[in-house]
Amino acid sequence: MKKLKVIAAMSGGVDSAVAAARAVDAGYEVVGVHLALSNNPQKYRSGARGCCTIEDSHDARRAADVIGIPFYIWDMAEEFHKGVVENFLSEYQSGRTPNPCLRCNEKIKFEAVLDRAKALGFDGVVTGHYAITKDGPNGKTLHRAADFEKDQSYVLAVLRTDQIEGAIFPLGDTVKTDTRKEAKERGLFVANKPDSHDICFVPSGDNAGWLRERLGSETGDIVDEAGKKLGEHKGAYTYTIGQRRGLALTVPDPTGEPRYVLKIEPKSNTVVVGTHQALAVKTIVATPPTWCGPVPELNKVLRGFAQVRAHGLPLACEYKFDGTNLIANLDEPVFGLATGQALVIYDNDRVVGSGTICETI
Amino acid sequence: MPIYFDHAATTPISEVAISALNNQIKKLGNASSLHSAGRSVRKDLESAREEIAKAIDCAPSEVIFTATGTEANNLAIKGLYWKAAKSNRNVIITSTFEHHAVMDPIAWLAEHENAQVININVDRNGFILMDELAQAIKDNQDKVAFISIMHSNNEVGTIQDIAKVVKIAGDIPVHADCVQSFGKVALSFKDLGLTAATISAHKVGGPLGVAALILKRGLDIEPILHGGGQERDIRSGTFNAPSIVSFAAAAKESVAAIADRDKKVRALKSELIQTVKKNVSDAWVNGDQVNCLPGITSITFPKTDSEGLLLLLDSEGIACSTGSACSAGVQRPSHVLLAMGLTEDETTSTLRFSVSHSNTLTEIAKLGSVIASVVARSRAASGKK
């Protein structure tokens, strides 16, 4: 039988290096590809924080050489800028809080890269994500990783079934410490490279500053729920729903309770604050839904778990698909939920689907 | 066995060069030492210098050994500039499609040392516009520090009429990057009337890490490396005698074989082009096909993506090359092809094949058997309309 050919997306980190090595062991014909995501990689030289520095591309190449696979750099800077960076900015401009890693998986790794790989005659894309795919009667389904702490199924829940078909996650059954140990045993020097946590295209790690530079810092009002002005801010988009610190309010709350960001109104450049209780959300509406497996029956109320943050806890809920939106009713309220984040629905460990949160009630 | 069509990047070290290297590397002695061990190595080194001088038709004292072609180009360009700048000559004339090892030191001089740069355009076939050159010289009388025009282009292989450049230049010093031409076509430093020329060992079957700047006798230029002053006080650093001796052996062999190999390599290249065109009807060749190096050919495969072509050919065991990449490895449109009038899309749909006398018709037939499907896949993946 002819070997299956796959592209291993190699960021220069430990996870993708071990994933590529395991794909080779599993019998795939593997070609390593590092994605250049910045228009000017040299600029990020000293950073080494994200996935687009010269150091990272060098690390990825070195890992590919040690594993013994061909290695190429694919320039995805334009696609990344359009699909991820511009989306990130426009979401903030609209008062929402986006998750760029989801967009990158959706638009870059499992769309631009997978499409290109298929056109070139490859069968799929290998990444170092911690998630599991299982073969089912109606095709592959997406599941949580064995290591809940590292589970990345949340950021993969934007993948359609055809994308999941082409995705291979060799680390799904592994805990991170084992990945590092294995990297060491395989002679991959990236074994001790720290995890990346920041947004890769914000090399300084200063998200608010980065947004201010691009979106300006127009002063606006901070008001209470009745509309009474309590203070001023420099750019509404640098705030996140549920945020408590950094408000610098001059008028104390009459009850003495701390105040939180409840709402961001980009048109009037206003930040609305209120009590913790006012942050409570029971119903979440998300759109457009992406199904990672079979599409749920229309308007049928089902039991499952909702997750609203990358490393958040699963929240017991009832959910349904009304033909347009994915709607979740939580058993217990959740506090401080920003629109723009993803709602991901699980059926135990299986990812049912996801949508971008557009309304919270 | 992988099929290697990338001899312009580097080519296998020849048997004579290996044997010279092996013998010399066992010999003790620093060529600058005065004792017998030093003298013995010095003797070998100077014989090698004479051999190189003979190969490029210059005086032995005009050969300055360096570590790389890039170093030799930097030494020529910065050295000539700093010397000329003392008499207020700060205009550098070059072409739009030089190698980065020429382009970048010139750009550095413009940025840091007040150099004014005039880039002479090239035509669609890859020849510099002589009228433009003459005009540039006329417009900048007494201001031109030097002219640097490559003898042959590394991506498309066109050979410039350097003798004419020198004639137009008059008293202005002319440097030519001869890295791709040396050992491939007849080359006389003396007859061309050059002031400086760059050659490199690993393109002619010598070892990596040794090259030479040929610099006119009696001309003292500012060094870029300061130290023991081993090479005419223009280049410092302990003599790399084993590599230099090996370089000389390879150069001697290559130059002696120019006529024979030229015929064979041109025939192979022509077969490669015909084979490609037979299988990919809309492919075209860039650069002049008469005044060109025997082994280099640049072929555009419209609406493909050279990264994809390279990957697929590599997986078929065929090595060739794309244009240039930045330091992070990201493919960039070739400035050479852009200068010749290709569009950005066309430059990133282009591959360079460079053949040598060691290639065979069987290897070209293998390329012919896969190129159509490789191009079809790359087209599907490129998204170019």
Side-chain angles (χ1 to χ4, degrees), chain A residues 5 7 29 31 33 36 38-42 45 53-54 57 61 70 72-75 115-116 119-122, chain B residues 305-316 326-332 373-374 376-382:
Chain A
K5 285 170 69 175
I7 291 288
E29 186 182 328
V31 169
V33 163
S38 160
N39 278 321
N40 192 352
Q42 276 96 336
R45 192 169 213 154
T53 66
I54 289 182
S57 75
R61 182 187 300 279
Y72 302 93
I73 308 233
W74 282 3
D75 184 5
D115 286 355
R116 192 171 186 186
L120 289 172
F122 289 85
Chain B
D305 151 16
S306 42
E307 283 176 331
L309 292 173
L310 188 81
L311 181 158
L312 294 169
L313 285 174
D314 190 16
S315 72
E316 297 287 351
C326 78
S327 47
V330 176
Q331 171 112 53
R332 293 278 175 252
S373 76
V374 162
R377 279 189 197 169
S378 171
R379 267 186 193 152
S382 78

Side-chain angles (χ1 to χ4, degrees), chain A residues 326-339:
Chain A
L326 172 60
I327 302 156
N329 284 305
L330 305 177
D331 291 1
E332 298 295 331
V334 65
F335 293 87
L337 183 53
T339 56

Side-chain angles (χ1 to χ4, degrees), chain A residues 8-335:
Chain A
M10 300 179 75
S11 66
V14 60
D15 294 329
S16 55
V18 172
R22 285 191 179 184
V24 172
D25 291 352
Y28 291 104
E29 186 182 328
V30 183
V31 169
V33 163
H34 177 77
L35 305 178
L37 301 176
S38 160
N39 278 321
N40 192 352
Q42 276 96 336
K43 273 205 166 160
Y44 294 173
R45 192 169 213 154
S46 58
R49 302 177 74 102
C51 22
C52 31
T53 66
I54 289 182
E55 262 180 82
D56 288 325
S57 75
H58 176 268
D59 290 351
R61 182 187 300 279
R62 177 72 186 131
D65 288 343
V66 170
I67 297 163
I69 55 173
F71 177 82
Y72 302 93
I73 308 233
W74 282 3
D75 184 5
M76 292 276 168
E78 212 180 302
E79 291 90 339
F80 186 76
H81 191 80
K82 273 191 194 147
V84 181
V85 181
E86 280 178 9
N87 170 272
F88 184 75
L89 284 169
S90 72
E91 283 290 284
Y92 267 110
Q93 266 177 316
S94 311
R96 293 187 285 268
T97 307
N99 184 327
C101 299
L102 261 88
R103 291 287 90 79
C104 182
N105 285 328
E106 180 191 7
K107 301 283 182 197
I108 308 299
K109 288 181 185 143
F110 296 98
E111 189 164 289
V113 175
L114 183 60
D115 286 355
R116 192 171 186 186
K118 282 186 172 168
L120 289 172
F122 289 85
D123 301 289
V125 169
V126 173
T127 69
H129 284 113
Y130 287 81
I132 292 173
T133 60
K134 288 182 187 168
D135 288 320
N138 301 310
K140 273 171 146 184
T141 48
L142 181 65
H143 298 257
R144 283 194 193 277
D147 181 355
F148 185 78
E149 291 294 309
K150 282 301 296 180
D151 173 44
Q152 290 175 305
S153 57
Y154 178 85
V155 291
L156 295 166
V158 284
L159 304 189
R160 302 182 307 266
T161 48
D162 61 304
Q163 293 172 308
I164 294 168
E165 284 296 331
I168 297 154
F169 307 124
L171 302 187
D173 63 351
T174 311
V175 295
K176 178 87 178 195
T177 45
D178 289 349
T179 308
R180 290 197 180 280
K181 206 170 136 229
E182 184 177 329
K184 212 172 168 188
E185 283 161 10
R186 287 179 182 272
L188 296 165
F189 83 109
V190 289
N192 295 319
K193 204 172 164 180
D195 286 1
S196 53
H197 287 299
D198 302 308
I199 296 170
C200 70
F201 52 87
V202 184
S204 63
D206 174 15
N207 197 25
W210 191 89
L211 287 168
R212 256 197 298 275
E213 246 173 59
R214 280 149 188 86
L215 301 176
S217 50
E218 202 190 326
T219 305
D221 292 346
I222 300 180
V223 300
D224 65 14
E225 285 177 275
K228 186 182 154 201
K229 183 171 171 175
L230 303 174
E232 285 188 343
H233 64 78
K234 285 184 176 173
Y237 43 78
T238 60
Y239 295 87
T240 306
I241 309 285
Q243 181 177 339
R244 177 182 164 188
R245 293 173 193 280
L247 292 171
L249 298 178
T250 46
V251 184
D253 187 84
T255 64
E257 268 195 61
R259 281 174 298 201
Y260 299 81
V261 175
L262 300 182
K263 212 165 28 168
I264 296 153
E265 292 172 350
K267 275 194 189 144
S268 59
N269 194 26
T270 306
V271 172
V272 183
V273 297
T275 61
H276 188 253
Q277 204 47 45
L279 282 171
V281 168
K282 282 277 280 185
T283 301
I284 306 166
V285 184
T287 199
T290 301
W291 306 113
C292 306
V295 182
E297 201 180 312
L298 204 64
N299 289 320
K300 184 171 180 187
V301 176
L302 297 157
R303 292 254 357 134
F305 293 91
Q307 190 173 323
V308 291
R309 291 186 190 95
H311 294 287
L313 290 173
L315 312 162
C317 72
E318 284 180 340
Y319 68 92
K320 70 167 186 185
F321 172 45
D322 71 359
T324 310
N325 299 324
L326 172 60
I327 302 156
N329 284 305
L330 305 177
D331 291 1
E332 298 295 331
V334 65
F335 293 87

Side-chain angles (χ1 to χ4, degrees), chain B residues 81 90 92 103-118:
Chain B
Y81 181 78
N90 72 332
I92 299 173
M103 221 164 68
D104 293 7
I106 290 176
W108 184 88
L109 287 171
E111 198 177 321
H112 299 275
E113 304 278 316
N114 200 30
Q116 305 294 311
V117 181
I118 299 173

